[in-house]
């Protein structure tokens, strides 16, 4: 696995693009995050995280289909929240680390086809790292990249050429 970082300044905002080439590497063995359905034995922990739905008002619904990207060693989790049901709510994912939740405004799409393989793209439009967590900013950004690298949504590994994570925001 190779991680390529490309950075450029855009109107005073640092735009970072990370291309993660996964060919020749089973993603599960390359990093600590795993994408999985939340195991029943973790349901109480999941509920204790206090995640809210896309409106931020109601507890996030938990079912046998709920999935997360989990790194148990670092106590870090990425959970798809949803949204985009109207212009009022972007699509959200929550990054939870050691008791702190960071709500990410996320875009996603893919380029390619089943013959040539897909490049899956995650675009982080907002990354509001709390002031008391700023000293861990680089570590948080790296964990978020790792988490999104194992979350390729609907695309199976055999059809996946690479995953691209782009930070299109000022708060990282």
């Amino acid at each position: 696995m190779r991680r390529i970082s490309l950075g450029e300044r855009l109107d005073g905002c640092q735009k970072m693009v990370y291309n993660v080439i996964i060919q020749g590497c089973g993603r599960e063995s390359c990093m600590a995050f795993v994408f999985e359905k939340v195991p029943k034995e973790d349901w109480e922990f999941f509920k204790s995280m206090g995640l809210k739905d896309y409106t931020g008002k109601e507890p996030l619904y938990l079912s046998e289909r709920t999935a997360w990207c989990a790194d148990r060693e670092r106590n870090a989790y990425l959970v798809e929240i949803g949204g985009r049901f109207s212009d009022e709510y972007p699509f959200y994912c929550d990054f939870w680390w050691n008791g702190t939740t960071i709500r990410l405004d996320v875009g996603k799409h893919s380029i390619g086809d089943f013959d040539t393989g897909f490049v899956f793209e995650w675009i982080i439009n907002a990354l509001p790292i709390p002031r008391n967590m700023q000293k861990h900013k680089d570590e948080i950004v790296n964990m978020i990249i790792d988490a999104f690298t194992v979350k390729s949504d609907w695309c199976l590994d055999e059809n996946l050429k690479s995953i691209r994570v782009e930070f299109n925001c000022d708060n990282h």
Side-chain angles (χ1 to χ4, degrees):
M1 178 179 67
R2 294 183 295 146
R3 180 183 293 176
I4 303 163
S5 172
L6 310 166
E8 57 187 91
R9 299 290 300 178
L10 296 174
D11 300 327
C13 175
Q14 182 74 19
K15 177 179 179 178
M16 294 300 296
V17 177
Y18 297 86
N19 285 314
V20 180
I21 312 301
I22 63 166
Q23 292 173 324
C25 174
R27 287 180 290 162
E28 299 78 25
S29 63
C30 289
M31 56 194 61
F33 275 95
V34 291
F35 180 69
E36 64 183 6
K37 290 192 177 11
V38 177
K40 286 234 184 208
E41 58 268 17
D42 287 332
W43 279 28
E44 286 306 313
F45 170 69
F46 184 93
K47 290 176 189 174
S48 77
M49 293 166 73
L51 303 178
K52 302 288 185 193
D53 69 359
Y54 68 94
T55 67
K57 298 175 185 169
E58 299 294 324
L60 186 63
Y61 179 74
L62 174 63
S63 75
E64 292 181 1
R65 296 182 54 175
T66 303
W68 62 10
C69 296
D71 181 339
R72 288 175 178 79
E73 290 179 24
R74 292 188 284 185
N75 199 26
Y77 301 84
L78 180 75
V79 179
E80 188 173 301
I81 303 300
R84 290 268 191 255
F85 301 114
S86 70
D87 291 338
E88 184 179 352
Y89 298 104
F91 185 83
Y92 295 118
C93 288
D94 279 355
F95 179 73
W96 188 96
W97 183 45
N98 291 328
T100 299
T101 302
I102 300 171
R103 179 145 289 184
L104 309 172
D105 173 344
V106 178
K108 62 181 178 177
H109 68 279
S110 62
I111 301 167
D113 58 41
F114 288 101
D115 292 330
T116 61
F118 290 94
V119 174
F120 204 87
E121 297 183 319
W122 293 100
I123 298 133
I124 314 301
N125 297 309
L127 174 58
I129 298 173
R131 182 165 280 145
N132 67 335
M133 302 289 285
Q134 286 294 316
K135 64 184 172 198
H136 303 288
K137 179 176 68 170
D138 291 341
E139 186 177 3
I140 290 168
V141 168
N142 282 318
M143 285 190 287
I144 288 170
I145 293 166
D146 289 348
F148 276 111
T149 299
V150 299
K151 184 173 179 10
S152 56
D153 223 24
W154 53 266
C155 191
L156 301 173
D157 281 358
E158 59 262 21
N159 302 114
L160 191 60
K161 190 164 39 173
S162 69
I163 296 177
R164 183 173 180 260
V165 180
E166 176 178 318
F167 288 82
N168 220 3
C169 54
D170 201 17
N171 293 338
H172 86 282

